[in-house]
Amino acid sequence: MLSSFSTEWLAYDYDGVIWEMDYADHERRFLAEIGSYRPRPGSQGRFLELGCGLGITTQMAQKHFGVDAIGVDLSLAALRATVKFKDNPFLHFVQASVFSLPFEYGSFETVYSRGVLHHTYSTEKAFEALAKFCAPGGATYLWVYGPKSIGDNALRRVLFVAERAVRRTLRGRASGPLANVLLYPLATAYLAFNRYRRYRDPSIQPYNFQRALHAARDRFTPEFAYRHSAEEVSRWFRDAGFADIEVVDWRAMPSADHDDYRRNTGVRGRRTPTATEQSAIPRAPIADGLANFT
């Protein structure tokens, strides 16, 4: 997974576009995802993004919420983000696994993870590990692949069969001769589909071949890519001690993301404090080693 996602993100540029949306649409989507589940005004809470990639969303969180924002990624993209945002003393990036995070439990008032945990060996166990870092009374947001990304129509069901076959063949190999043979034609198909989507919605950003290849790598090279319903993810939140659980409405997103968000699953909730925590919500420090990553 480290090799696959490092190959994917190290080739991506800070050029104002990620996937098929510009940064402005990403910012609007992020704020809609968080909604009112953001750090409280005047609080000393911290923001954690698990799976930060190039750090764009982590930077947006710091700008809007005015708190220390920490982005974590398994891939080497975290090191690129460190260099890119080195002049902001309130932004920090760490290369780490969700199963071994270098922070104290309950350290973050807002925890955010989008499009990442379904690529671990168990999405549920990854969420259980991540949820422990949400402070009592704090909020967590999770977006994962949903069942409609497979069964929305006959074409998607056929594509899913092809996806599983290619993934078994590559098994995390995002580069090399075999990957090129399989991924380059798929990238060409992504280019064509992107043109069709832009015909229907001009706000969708155009793919070049690099972006199309990035999309193909993301879809076909991770070893795991599970799908989960809103009901299933909501149950994980309840089991982890969260309340005020909401399934986020795809219609609140920018139009360029409507189709994708509709097929997948976004859920947010607040961690219910225990009686002891309610009287004195702790503010645990971030691990001392964090300063080495700023």
Side-chain angles (χ1 to χ4, degrees), residues 129-264:
L130 180 63
K132 295 175 182 177
F133 295 92
C134 184
T140 292
Y141 171 83
L142 177 67
W143 185 97
V144 293
Y145 290 162
K148 286 186 177 180
S149 65
I150 299 173
D152 201 30
N153 52 52
L155 175 60
R156 288 201 164 272
R157 289 191 286 273
V158 171
L159 290 175
F160 181 64
V161 173
E163 174 188 322
R164 289 195 299 179
V166 173
R167 186 178 294 115
R168 282 196 297 267
T169 301
L170 294 179
R171 293 190 66 83
R173 289 176 291 184
S175 61
L178 178 60
N180 292 342
V181 167
L182 293 175
L183 293 178
Y184 279 34
L186 291 168
T188 302
Y190 270 96
L191 277 171
F193 188 57
N194 172 254
R195 291 194 180 101
Y196 166 71
R197 281 172 47 77
R198 292 190 67 236
Y199 172 77
R200 297 179 61 193
D201 184 350
S203 71
I204 292 172
Q205 297 300 304
Y207 271 167
N208 55 27
F209 188 77
Q210 180 188 18
R211 289 179 190 151
L213 185 59
H214 173 269
R217 282 193 177 118
D218 188 79
R219 178 72 179 267
F220 293 100
T221 64
E223 184 175 0
F224 308 108
Y226 297 115
R227 271 72 172 181
H228 304 282
S229 68
E231 293 76 13
E232 183 181 13
V233 174
S234 296
R235 176 180 58 80
W236 299 347
F237 273 78
R238 289 193 298 271
D239 290 347
F242 285 77
D244 300 328
I245 299 165
E246 295 182 0
V247 179
V248 181
D249 191 341
W250 60 269
R251 286 163 291 199
M253 301 301 135
S255 65
D257 199 41
H258 276 181
D259 195 43
D260 188 49
Y261 206 103
R262 177 184 60 81
R263 293 192 303 267
N264 296 297

Side-chain angles (χ1 to χ4, degrees), residues 36-85:
S36 63
Y37 290 56
R38 60 182 65 196
R40 290 160 290 191
S43 74
Q44 297 301 310
R46 302 180 180 95
F47 174 92
L48 172 66
E49 180 181 13
L50 194 288
C52 65
L54 297 177
I56 301 299
T57 303
T58 312
Q59 185 272 333
M60 292 174 181
Q62 198 286 314
K63 179 182 74 171
H64 281 279
F65 305 151
V67 298
D68 277 292
I70 295 87
V72 175
D73 206 277
L74 181 64
S75 80
L76 297 175
L79 305 184
R80 285 193 69 194
T82 298
V83 174
K84 174 68 176 179
F85 298 107

